[in-house]
Amino acid sequence: MPTIAVDKTALFEALGQEYTTEEFDELCFEFGIELDEDTSTSERPLVNGKQEAAQLKIEIPANRYDMLCFEGISLMLNIFRGKKPAPDYRLIPPLNGEMQTLTAHEETSRIRPYVSGSILRNVKFNQERYESFIALQDKLHQNLARQRTLVAIGTHDLDKIKGPFTYEALPPEKIEFVPLNQTRKMNGVELMKFYEKDKHLGRYLHIIKDSPVYPVIYDANRVVCSMPPIINGDHSKISTKTRNVFIDITAVDKTKAEIVNNILVTMFSQYTEEPFTVEPISIISKHNHESRQVPDLTPRETQAEVSYINDCCGLSLSAEEICELLKRMSYKANPSKASKDLIDVHIPPTRADVLHQCDIMEDVAIAYGFNNLPRSFPSKSGTVAQPLMVNKLSDIVRLEAAMAGWSEVMPLILCSHDENFGWLNRKDDGNTAVKLANPKTAEYQVVRTSLLPGLLKTIRENKHHSVPIKIFEVSDVAFKDVSLERKSRNERHFAAAWYGKSSGFEVVHGLMDRVMLMLKNAFITSEEGLEGKGVEDSVYWIEEVDDPTFFPGHAAAIHLKIGGMEKVIGVFGILHPTVLDNFDLRYPVSTLEINIEVFL
């Protein structure tokens, strides 16, 4: 968790109350943060001949980006203590009625495709506020922005530059400007050499160094404002005398760009002439259809169930009582007119971490007080662990395969696109596999839709062992499913592969029959001696199938009739010679793969 150091005297002044270390530690605990250290109780270094002011070092949860600065901590604690209402963040139009624009050129798609921004108009800085403003940018860069790889922030004195602004991507030798706190003009190539040994900026150079184009933001007079994510221009640097701040944000992740923008302006809009107001700008980005007005400070609307919150917390609160508690956590909430069991919740723009009603429930518990929640051990919290049914079923299949003399393997769930489709003579329709947006290597491009690639790669790496090789796996595969909230679903499969000098088709067939027998499924021919509960209601049979993965005429689909419903649960057969060549296998391979979730 990030640790934020704040001036002890200034914080207590903002809270309007003096606390002992123990009292403030208790307040932090109640709110869900942690006091790590109070430096007033230890020896402090001398700064400019004076002893450093006492500081409170507070650990902030990783999800609370709105509390990474003095302003956020003091504001949220005051709301929690009922000393201040939750702010009403508002967008105000420019005084001259003409909104500043930031136009993104198409070339930026090659390096950092998204841009956002905002303006803090008539803001009042002093040295402490200025330092906090800079520190918040650094904290956001290190945490949410992942060392500037995802998002980079630039802040400028708007009175020193002139809009409209443009966001471009140019060859480094064509970008020339004086970097922040320097006196010599440099181009992009010279700048990279100049900062390569810099302890602070040197660690960010790799982000764009090898790119043929570098991102750059110009004002109307072609003055460079910044070259993200490295450094701003010296011409537009801000100071304690700055009154109007222009903020530019470039990113490879649009969602995180907007979160960073919202956090930065909401925390420091309290210092504007009209508190909690922000001037928007217009983003013009026609090439990727991202033209819009930013920032969007409209509270997100959602609903939470009263019964869910009460069940989780062990309480019996009314909708009105829950709404009052949520006000202490900076929400605005009202009982829903649609149902007595629902409350309408307005999530402030500072709370990007709230994604589900479980997050709202947690904040209700914090506002109520964790120490005040009823203690019910062991009648409610005492539980007896038991496996999920799908895992219990998997263990049954796993045990039977092992007792039949097969060895279990555990390949990786990610594989290359070719291994999952082309090497198995299968075509990708674009709607089956879950693909990685930014795979690090060609080996890990998709989430497997079949267990076969992992089994065949395992045999390939162990083909120097004596044959036959008999291996199996019971694990998950994944498929796209746009009907679900997460747009994908897992499916538990069982697969086995035989590798030897003969095809081993009859061995794989026998393994399938053994597994089906233990799952109490009768072959359609009603074999003699096969008895057990459910036999009459659960039967299976095989039918020849034309599957390009297998040798023609040597593959069969497995049909199952269970609970009055018929479905194809898998396929087995002898692999096609081209599949063997693709996986560099010399001997025949017979495989089996079935979906075992249908037996639940």
Side-chain angles (χ1 to χ4, degrees):
M1 296 191 296
T3 300
I4 310 300
V6 296
D7 187 283
K8 181 178 180 179
T9 303
L11 181 60
F12 288 173
E13 183 179 340
L15 296 178
Q17 183 177 341
E18 291 290 327
Y19 291 89
T20 64
T21 301
E22 292 74 18
E23 290 171 339
F24 187 72
D25 187 26
E26 182 64 23
L27 174 63
C28 290
F29 176 80
E30 290 176 358
F31 188 70
I33 57 180
E34 184 177 346
L35 178 62
D36 188 50
E37 182 183 357
D38 180 355
T39 63
S40 64
T41 60
S42 58
E43 189 69 26
R44 302 191 300 278
L46 296 176
V47 179
N48 297 326
K50 296 182 179 180
Q51 191 175 40
E52 182 184 64
Q55 291 185 329
L56 297 170
K57 296 182 179 181
I58 304 172
E59 284 192 6
I60 306 297
N63 62 313
R64 291 303 298 266
Y65 306 116
D66 56 322
M67 297 184 69
L68 292 176
C69 60
F70 170 89
E71 289 72 18
I73 294 172
S74 60
L75 178 62
M76 296 305 157
L77 288 179
N78 273 327
I79 296 172
F80 178 71
R81 294 158 61 242
K83 300 295 184 180
K84 287 184 178 181
D88 181 19
Y89 300 104
R90 295 184 298 114
L91 297 179
I92 56 171
L95 293 177
N96 61 3
E98 186 176 345
M99 189 181 296
Q100 292 284 5
T101 62
L102 177 53
T103 303
H105 290 200
E106 187 174 356
E107 294 78 13
T108 57
S109 298
R110 302 171 61 186
I111 180 74
R112 295 176 82 82
Y114 301 108
V115 65
S116 187
S118 52
I119 294 173
L120 290 174
R121 185 74 70 173
N122 295 319
V123 67
K124 296 178 181 178
F125 283 132
N126 56 29
Q127 189 62 34
E128 290 75 22
R129 293 174 181 178
Y130 171 79
E131 290 176 357
S132 181
F133 187 58
I134 300 300
L136 177 58
Q137 294 177 55
D138 286 339
K139 289 293 184 183
L140 290 172
H141 276 150
Q142 303 312 312
N143 292 279
L144 183 61
R146 295 292 187 269
Q147 303 285 346
R148 302 192 190 184
T149 56
L150 301 181
V151 181
I153 309 166
T155 53
H156 315 278
D157 189 331
L158 186 57
D159 297 325
K160 296 180 181 179
I161 50 181
K162 180 182 179 182
F165 301 93
T166 58
Y167 173 45
E168 305 175 23
L170 300 173
E173 58 273 8
K174 292 187 178 181
I175 302 172
E176 293 189 348
F177 67 106
V178 179
L180 185 65
N181 297 327
Q182 300 298 323
T183 56
R184 180 169 66 91
K185 180 181 286 190
M186 310 178 197
N187 64 28
V189 177
E190 294 170 333
L191 185 142
M192 287 292 177
K193 292 181 180 178
F194 183 79
Y195 284 110
E196 62 184 0
K197 294 183 180 179
D198 187 280
K199 291 182 179 179
H200 175 59
L201 294 177
R203 54 184 167 170
Y204 305 123
L205 301 183
H206 71 93
I207 300 173
I208 63 170
K209 188 173 183 179
D210 296 328
S211 173
V213 292
Y214 290 0
V216 60
I217 294 178
Y218 288 102
D219 77 347
N221 298 320
R222 301 298 288 177
V223 173
V224 172
C225 298
S226 65
M227 191 180 80
I230 309 303
I231 197 167
N232 295 340
D234 189 70
H235 178 82
S236 59
K237 69 179 178 181
I238 65 172
S239 67
T240 55
K241 297 179 181 179
T242 298
R243 292 279 290 164
N244 301 302
V245 180
F246 173 69
I247 301 170
D248 73 68
I249 294 173
T250 58
V252 297
D253 186 317
K254 180 186 174 185
T255 301
K256 286 185 169 57
E258 302 301 359
I259 293 173
V260 167
N261 196 10
N262 289 351
I263 294 297
L264 198 58
V265 297
T266 52
M267 291 301 100
F268 285 86
S269 61
Q270 59 187 285
Y271 297 138
T272 56
E273 196 168 65
E274 189 177 349
F276 304 113
T277 59
V278 180
E279 182 179 316
I281 68 171
S282 176
I283 301 295
I284 301 174
S285 186
K286 297 180 180 178
H287 65 279
N288 58 358
H289 308 291
E290 291 294 343
S291 298
R292 63 200 187 282
Q293 177 181 299
V294 291
D296 181 7
L297 300 181
T298 306
R300 290 181 290 133
E301 297 182 4
T302 188
Q303 290 184 320
E305 298 171 350
V306 174
S307 58
Y308 171 81
I309 294 172
N310 282 327
D311 288 345
C312 291
C313 298
L315 301 172
S316 300
L317 300 175
S318 66
E320 291 76 10
E321 289 172 322
I322 291 175
C323 292
E324 285 299 315
L325 290 174
L326 287 175
K327 289 180 180 178
R328 297 184 61 193
M329 303 303 292
S330 76
Y331 295 87
K332 292 182 180 178
N334 298 290
S336 176
K337 296 179 181 179
S339 170
K340 292 182 179 180
D341 192 45
L342 294 176
I343 56 173
D344 297 324
V345 183
H346 297 264
I347 304 169
T350 55
R351 295 298 306 276
D353 60 298
V354 179
L355 304 175
H356 188 271
Q357 68 172 346
C358 65
D359 300 309
I360 298 172
M361 175 274 297
E362 180 186 10
D363 282 339
V364 169
I366 292 173
Y368 187 85
F370 282 127
N371 287 335
N372 299 324
L373 295 176
R375 300 173 184 269
S376 57
F377 183 83
S379 61
K380 290 185 179 179
S381 59
T383 60
V384 178
Q386 61 181 1
L388 294 173
M389 291 305 295
V390 68
N391 290 336
K392 190 172 183 179
L393 174 64
S394 300
D395 286 342
I396 293 172
V397 175
R398 188 176 284 120
L399 181 63
E400 288 305 319
M403 289 195 300
W406 295 67
S407 301
E408 185 177 11
V409 296
M410 299 180 67
L412 298 176
I413 197 169
L414 298 179
C415 62
S416 73
H417 185 274
D418 284 343
E419 290 168 351
N420 196 72
F421 292 104
W423 287 11
L424 294 176
N425 295 337
R426 295 174 179 173
K427 294 183 179 180
D428 181 12
D429 60 4
N431 299 313
T432 303
V434 177
K435 300 178 182 178
L436 275 66
N438 185 28
K440 294 299 182 184
T441 70
E443 283 187 283
Y444 310 125
Q445 295 175 318
V446 299
V447 182
R448 63 186 179 183
T449 59
S450 168
L451 299 182
L452 297 186
L455 294 179
L456 297 178
K457 287 194 293 182
T458 301
I459 294 174
R460 181 186 66 195
E461 300 304 321
N462 292 274
K463 60 186 180 182
H464 59 280
H465 288 283
S466 59
V467 293
I469 295 175
K470 302 187 294 181
I471 58 175
F472 76 94
E473 181 184 7
V474 185
S475 192
D476 281 356
V477 296
F479 299 96
K480 281 185 181 179
D481 190 340
V482 294
S483 65
L484 300 178
E485 182 182 5
R486 61 185 180 272
K487 308 302 180 186
S488 65
R489 61 181 172 85
N490 284 17
E491 199 172 87
R492 187 64 55 88
H493 280 200
F494 165 69
W498 163 286
Y499 175 74
K501 294 183 179 180
S502 63
S503 69
F505 181 84
E506 69 285 357
V507 182
V508 170
H509 195 330
L511 176 65
M512 180 201 69
D513 286 338
R514 178 61 184 173
V515 170
M516 298 298 280
L517 171 62
M518 296 311 300
L519 294 176
K520 298 187 183 299
N521 297 276
F523 197 62
I524 196 67
T525 55
S526 300
E527 297 168 309
E528 292 182 4
L530 185 61
E531 298 177 354
K533 184 179 178 181
V535 165
E536 296 81 4
D537 300 324
S538 181
V539 296
Y540 74 98
W541 67 95
I542 61 174
E543 294 181 5
E544 184 177 343
V545 65
D546 184 15
D547 188 325
T549 302
F550 300 96
F551 198 78
H554 292 75
I558 306 166
H559 294 253
L560 176 71
K561 186 176 182 181
I562 186 170
M565 297 181 63
E566 178 189 333
K567 57 186 71 178
V568 177
I569 63 169
V571 64
F572 71 102
I574 304 172
L575 292 182
H576 198 281
T578 58
V579 175
L580 301 181
D581 287 340
N582 291 332
F583 286 93
D584 193 24
L585 300 176
R586 296 175 296 173
Y587 297 135
V589 178
S590 290
T591 63
L592 158 71
E593 183 169 14
I594 60 175
N595 172 17
I596 62 173
E597 286 194 7
V598 298
F599 298 103
L600 293 176

